[in-house]
Amino acid sequence: MSSQPPSAEVRQITVDEESAGQRLDNFLIRMLKGVPKSHIYRIIRSGEVRRNKGRVGADDRVAAGDVLRIPPIRLSGRAEEKAANPAPPREFPLIHEDEAFLVIDKPAGVAVHGGSGVSFGVIEQIRQARPQARFLELVHRLDRETSGLLLIAKKKSALKALQDQFRERTTGKTYLALVKGAWPARLKVLDQPLHKFLLPDGERRVKVTSREDPEGMRSVTLVKVASRLQAPHELSSSSPEGFTLLEVTIKTGRTHQIRVHLASAGHPIAGDEKYGDFELNRLLQRSGLKRMFLHAWRLALTHPLTSAPIELQTELPAELQNWVTSQKSH
């Protein structure tokens, strides 16, 4: 079903087979391109959106044949401009594609979706680049500054099957992370609950918490030393023990999990602007490392349609590999 522009009149939208099972909020966000999420939640909460003439909640799932009443929607000047100027179409480096899903190598610095001050992300750009695609949905997320493997479902059945694998932790997700200092080889398992909180300006942060914290979410990270790197002279004052390249496998997919677990162990990720060593980051920028050194490297999963095992991998992007090589040559 194609998305519809905002309208100043009441509309009726019939849910098609491909959209059946989606949450109402996600369905409307997809359908009402350019309408701020806050506005969509407001019209749902107020009861202005009706399903088959009855009230409906944001987390209710729509079924094929449902008739949704959408109230008149007038946009502010900025929102109108956004609706008139959709995301620029863009394809990303393709690692795998079949009838069920595709896997791209996401570059650092690109959000996976719009929101939180970002007008568009990977998913909006791919949808614009593939106007004929009936269904494209993110299976999972990567932080904006993290590069690497990102899965996008092309069928609703594939989306559900893949998300179930992520939730049940049957996927194998391994990242490459360069951290400050000499990571102790014996430290292989980080099993510490994480607690989300907001800064006074509303920005989201995560911290390690105690097992007694009712808001703490169990988080397990496995760490293996891949190689060690001596710090060149200009970085030795801030990281006298050099750096360690780690293979990091997450058993749980919590927000900022790897970044917080490694930082709390005393070895923050190089270039991490939220949880890192800020003095070291300044020197790293000067030495040519312009981003956080975290890359979604390997992914093992079961194919959602054939049940065959699949292993995917994408090597370090050039800007990270070149930086490592340049440090070794000092």
Side-chain angles (χ1 to χ4, degrees):
M1 178 181 280
S2 61
S3 62
Q4 304 191 11
S7 164
E9 300 172 354
V10 171
R11 279 174 300 156
Q12 311 285 335
I13 297 177
T14 302
V15 177
D16 65 354
E17 290 282 350
E18 198 63 43
S19 303
Q22 281 189 2
R23 283 172 52 120
L24 176 70
D25 51 0
N26 291 337
F27 176 78
L28 290 181
I29 288 165
R30 176 101 193 261
M31 292 299 299
L32 303 176
K33 287 284 189 281
V35 179
K37 289 182 185 177
S38 58
H39 188 75
I40 290 174
Y41 283 107
R42 190 159 60 245
I43 61 174
I44 295 173
R45 274 198 309 272
S46 67
E48 294 174 85
V49 175
R50 314 289 280 191
R51 177 174 60 182
N52 306 329
K53 300 186 178 175
R55 285 186 76 116
V56 63
D59 57 355
D60 288 345
R61 296 193 180 269
V62 297
D66 278 350
V67 177
L68 302 175
R69 174 198 181 273
I70 311 299
I73 294 173
R74 291 180 179 82
L75 298 181
S76 67
R78 183 162 170 241
E80 273 184 4
E81 183 185 342
K82 185 177 167 186
N85 297 286
R90 180 179 177 185
E91 289 279 5
F92 295 86
L94 201 58
I95 303 300
H96 171 92
E97 182 170 10
D98 59 34
E99 61 178 323
F101 67 100
L102 59 99
V103 183
I104 64 158
D105 189 352
K106 184 186 90 66
V110 184
V112 294
H113 59 72
S116 305
V118 180
S119 56
F120 60 83
V122 168
I123 191 66
E124 291 86 2
Q125 290 185 286
I126 288 181
R127 284 175 185 154
Q128 287 294 328
R130 298 178 175 220
Q132 74 290 352
R134 292 194 61 199
F135 187 93
L136 290 169
E137 294 286 349
L138 290 166
V139 175
H140 62 116
R141 289 168 170 73
L142 289 177
D143 290 346
R144 186 175 181 176
E145 295 311 319
T146 303
S147 56
L149 298 171
L150 181 69
L151 272 68
I152 295 166
K154 294 168 68 174
K155 291 174 175 274
K156 190 163 90 38
S157 57
L159 176 68
K160 183 178 183 309
L162 290 166
Q163 287 183 331
D164 286 348
Q165 287 183 49
F166 275 82
R167 190 167 49 251
E168 291 158 13
R169 304 170 195 169
T170 56
T171 55
K173 286 187 287 184
T174 302
Y175 294 70
L176 293 175
L178 188 78
V179 298
K180 174 185 177 180
W183 184 275
R186 69 179 185 284
L187 183 54
K188 296 178 179 177
V189 182
L190 302 173
D191 183 357
Q192 299 157 302
L194 296 177
H195 176 106
K196 281 194 219 178
F197 65 100
L198 294 177
L199 295 176
D201 64 1
E203 195 175 343
R204 184 173 54 177
R205 284 287 192 278
V206 180
K207 63 182 178 183
V208 165
T209 188
S210 69
R211 298 193 189 282
E212 292 70 46
D213 182 350
E215 305 256 323
M217 302 185 77
R218 186 166 187 225
S219 307
V220 181
T221 303
L222 308 181
V223 182
K224 177 184 172 188
V225 172
S227 62
R228 300 188 187 276
L229 191 65
Q230 276 191 305
H233 176 69
E234 63 269 24
L235 297 174
S236 58
S237 60
S238 286
S239 192
E241 294 187 308
F243 300 90
T244 312
L245 184 65
L246 301 175
E247 295 177 14
V248 184
T249 301
I250 51 174
K251 292 297 182 183
T252 51
R254 309 296 182 207
T255 301
H256 299 167
Q257 176 176 326
I258 295 175
R259 300 163 69 175
V260 175
H261 267 173
L262 299 184
S264 72
H267 299 275
I269 295 176
D272 186 345
E273 292 181 355
K274 286 188 175 169
Y275 305 100
D277 178 322
F278 305 121
E279 173 59 25
L280 174 59
N281 286 349
R282 193 172 59 76
L283 295 174
L284 286 167
Q285 283 260 352
R286 213 179 287 165
S287 76
L289 185 65
K290 307 290 189 188
R291 53 161 288 199
M292 177 171 66
F293 203 123
L294 182 62
H295 178 66
W297 174 45
R298 279 184 177 162
L299 185 59
L301 53 93
T302 301
H303 194 282
L305 301 186
T306 66
S307 299
I310 292 185
E311 292 232 2
L312 301 159
Q313 180 171 318
T314 177
E315 295 308 326
L316 280 176
E319 72 269 15
L320 297 185
Q321 188 58 59
N322 291 346
W323 186 84
V324 169
T325 303
S326 71
Q327 302 312 300
K328 286 178 177 174
S329 64
H330 274 229

